Amino acid sequence: MPAQTITQPRLGPVGAARWAWRQVTSMRTALFLLLLLAVAALPGSIWPQRSINPARTAAYIEDHPTLGPWLDRLGFFEVYASPWFSAVYLLLFISLVGCVLPRIRVHGRMLRMPPPRVPQRLERLEHHALARTTRPAPEVLATVREALGRRYRVAIKDDSSLSAETGYLRETGNIAFHLALIGILVGVAVGHIYGWKGDVIVPVGSTFANTESRYDTIQYGPRVDPDNFAPFSLTLDKLTVTFEDQVGGRGQFGSPRDFVAEVTTRSAPGAAAQRHTLKVNHPVEMDGATVFLLGNGYAPVITVRDKDGKVLYSQATPFLSRDNNYTSSGAVKVPAARPKQLGFFGNFLPTGIISDDQGPISIFPDAKNPALALGLFEGDLAPGGRASSVYTLDTAAMTQVKAAGSDEVLRLWITPGETVQLPDGRGSITFDRVERWAGLSIRHDPAKDFTLASALLALAALIAQLTIKRRRVFVRVTPENAGSRVVVAALSKTDDEGLAGLVQRLAAVAGDRIDPDDVPAGEQAAAGGARGIRP
Amino acid sequence: MNTTLALYANYSIYSAIAVLTLAMLAYAAYLARAIPAREVARTPERVLVGAGAPAAQVEVGSGAAAVDAGRKMAGIGRSFAWLATACIGVSMVLRGLAVHRPPLGNLYEFVCAAAFAAMLGFCVWNQRRDVSWLGTFVVTPVLIMLLLAVKAFYTEASSLMPALRSYWLTIHVSMATISVGVFTLGAIVAALYLVLDRYARAGHTPRWVRVLPSPAELERTSYSLHIVAFPLWTFTVIAGAIWARQAWASYWNWDPKEVWSFIIWVVYAAFLHARATSGITRQKAQWIALAGFACIIVNYTIVNLYFVGQHSYSGM
Ligand code: HEM
């Protein structure tokens, strides 16, 4: 049977491992993994990502009750942390290391070796030229060496032949590029492990102290100790926001134009105060963290009094904007109210109207005609001591208050300076004035400079490897009748349009006369690369 | 905001579209008429090898009489191409002056700038070495780009949202533009290569194809263009990351636009790899380059218009 004659070579465990390693580190595998990486990155742009937009992710899952949970299980809402995405890039980098390390060794050896010997039949090389000269061979070779310049490493043998090589930096660049990619990966990883990032809303006039509990949301890496945060503080003195109110057209009218915050910072309690201007694109660098201005909104100053006029609540209350016109929602919680705790819930409208279909909304983002549209609940604000967000009301243990002498629920519409009496002796609520808040993002990434340096190194090395040509040049001088016959030839590892020109130039330098007739007829076609050369 | 200047900027783009149409016609005529001339001009070149000097003389000498018909059209095409490029450039300058900022703030402006980069690249290249054969294939897509810009992506001139107010806008977006311009030229040549290569292997050569360089030459040209564009794109991504850290506090957020920039980068890296991998044919490699260009198109159309992200500033 013919099948028996084909014996598969037996691979022992070591052989099998070696075989697997060769597969993983082959260029074909690298290519496949690169393409796979591109495909694996794709879902992250299609489905909302939890780390970027948790609200949109939750809404998506709710809207797709069958598909959503499955996608969630498969990691489609956390693509860049999913096992399959990680597997692809880790394999790619393993392949990269396996590929680059041996090449470093080979290249190092290469750098220490002299240029290779001159081949026997230079006329066989695609790019070559012949010249005649009456000058002695050493002189001819010296002129060629001079013409080659300092970029070439040159070896002259027996005063009759010369070999030269240049472009070692190409391979150096290639290796440096691939190592720099590893550098980027390491930098990103270190940033995740030792870095942290927190967001906080700070109303104008308030001070933020950098402690974990002050943040609205905070994420930190496994090796971060939040007790050791730098003890700086920051006071928001002023926030100026301007909006487009000149140009019409879709997506332009009402777009934000400028946010500027004036802040006072202290590197530690009791340290000297420093004033800064914090703007979008102009973060403030603190010791151990950088402060960015990312968002803004309104914090109406609201006062609630009981029926005797005693102040139960009075502060700037941040409302979160829900649309481009800053229709903002928020809550006012008055735990000191008696006999039952009070909670107001509703919208702040910088330019408010009551529309027929959508109810109270804002039609422009600036505070042109501000109003609060609120409803009122009474009962237990935090049943069982449960903590809830300051921007929403947990109404599980509360009932909505009705308007006085009516079955309709109470709807409050309050403009700045106005005080509204609450029904049945529950006191009053005053909308004192409008303040703004700044959304600050505070971040620490100890590896960002390293990552940037790696990226720039990758770029420089990439340019080197793509532009530098690896070339070898050979010259042989043989005595002939009265003078010498010079053969110049060149080789390149890659496409190299300049090679033919180089050969011509060197032949012109070496000889008194270039002799096209000397090329044997059969080799003319082979030397076709010289087409288009201008002398 | 100066509305008069903005209006003139629009007139200038309309002029560019008109002139580009003329350039397209001239280059198409060149392709149609240059064929016999080119064949005559080419034959002696092939024979002369080894030494450069005589080759150059003969090329000019024997070709001169026959080349006329097509040459003239190529010359007209070249003038119109320059004029159209100038019109796009003027339009961008006027728009920039109208809004007191670099005209790179929304999709409309970006498409105009990419068209400008592609045309300028082609014109300069054509000046240094005759690539009239490429004329039709460059001018036509650019014309389509501009028509789309005017018809589908048009955005009124206006100031920028705060996140875009930074000199990084100029650096990041102008690099992206130049890079997309060069990628466009590269994709055009790659597509031509794949078509010509198919003809060559089928042993069938339509007339218009005979004006073009050999498939091998096209393949090399495509590679050269791509290795110019790839580092530019690399720089674009790095500059974007630096800017993202300033504007959004984090240098990489996997925002849809960033995802696609990354995908584009990876696909083109795969192209360069494929070309250096033995056992992968040149054809396959060039297909990967075209896939990269498809990703660029997705990035500037679908991602800009439909995906929700921090880059939603296309003004639409
Ligand atoms: C993170 C993944 C990688 C990226 C983004 C990447 C990118 C690149 C780029 C852009 C080039 C330039 C191509 C050229 O010189 O024309 C290149 C060259 C090269 N890469 Fe990679 N590479 C990666 C991984 C790998 C791996 C895993 C291997 C080994 C299997 C490898 C081996 C090579 C080799 C040998 C070259 C030189 C090709 C030549 O001679 O021109 N690379 N790489």
Side-chain angles (χ1 to χ4, degrees), chain A residues 302-314 332 334 337 342 344 374 376 410 412 414 418-432:
Chain A
I302 296 170
T303 304
V304 179
R305 295 183 174 81
D306 67 11
K307 63 176 188 300
D308 307 321
K310 198 176 97 185
V311 173
L312 302 175
Y313 175 100
S314 181
V332 179
V334 194
L342 293 181
F344 298 85
L374 300 176
L376 175 60
L410 176 69
L412 300 167
I414 321 172
E418 208 180 340
T419 298
V420 176
Q421 296 300 324
L422 302 173
D424 305 327
R426 289 186 181 88
S428 69
I429 178 169
T430 308
F431 180 2
D432 300 294

Side-chain angles (χ1 to χ4, degrees), chain A residues 81-147:
Chain A
S82 69
W84 39 274
F85 188 78
S86 314
V88 174
Y89 76 76
L90 286 178
L91 263 182
L92 184 59
F93 276 90
I94 290 171
S95 165
L96 202 161
V97 171
C99 186
V100 168
L101 288 184
R103 289 201 2 247
I104 294 177
R105 201 159 359 102
V106 171
H107 187 53
R109 213 178 301 139
M110 189 85 218
L111 284 176
R112 276 178 271 119
M113 280 200 308
R117 290 199 350 236
V118 179
Q120 274 306 316
R121 300 221 355 119
L122 285 183
E123 290 89 341
R124 286 260 171 87
L125 297 184
E126 187 187 331
H127 295 286
H128 70 272
L130 295 174
R132 298 269 188 280
T133 184
T134 49
R135 289 177 298 163
E139 194 185 315
V140 171
L141 294 181
T143 37
V144 172
R145 165 178 253 168
E146 173 127 355

Side-chain angles (χ1 to χ4, degrees), chain A residues 496-510:
Chain A
D496 190 344
E497 294 195 0
L499 213 52
L502 173 72
V503 167
Q504 291 302 320
R505 199 163 52 76
L506 292 178
V509 167

Side-chain angles (χ1 to χ4, degrees), chain A residues 25-27 30 95-96 99 103 174 177-178 465, chain B residues 223 272-273 276:
Chain A
T25 58
S26 82
M27 282 283 276
S95 165
L96 202 161
C99 186
R103 289 201 2 247
N174 183 290
F177 169 75
H178 287 89
Q465 75 164 315
Chain B
Y223 175 70
L272 295 180
H273 255 217

Side-chain angles (χ1 to χ4, degrees), chain B residues 1-67:
Chain B
M1 238 317 280
N2 183 326
T3 28
T4 320
L5 285 183
L7 188 66
Y8 285 137
N10 290 354
Y11 289 156
S12 198
I13 275 292
Y14 298 145
S15 316
I17 289 174
V19 177
L20 270 181
T21 313
L22 295 177
M24 180 179 72
L25 293 177
Y27 275 129
Y30 163 71
L31 273 198
R33 299 179 60 179
I35 288 128
R38 188 63 195 226
E39 267 174 317
V40 176
R42 238 179 166 185
T43 334
E45 260 181 282
R46 283 250 167 83
V47 183
L48 269 155
V49 279
Q57 280 164 12
V58 176
E59 188 190 345
V60 176
S62 84
V67 169

Side-chain angles (χ1 to χ4, degrees), chain A residues 9-10 44 55 72 90 94 111 132 152 156 195 227 291 427 442:
Chain A
R10 281 283 183 91
D72 199 10
L90 286 178
I94 290 171
L111 284 176
R132 298 269 188 280
Y152 282 82
I156 293 180
D227 294 337
V291 181
I442 300 174

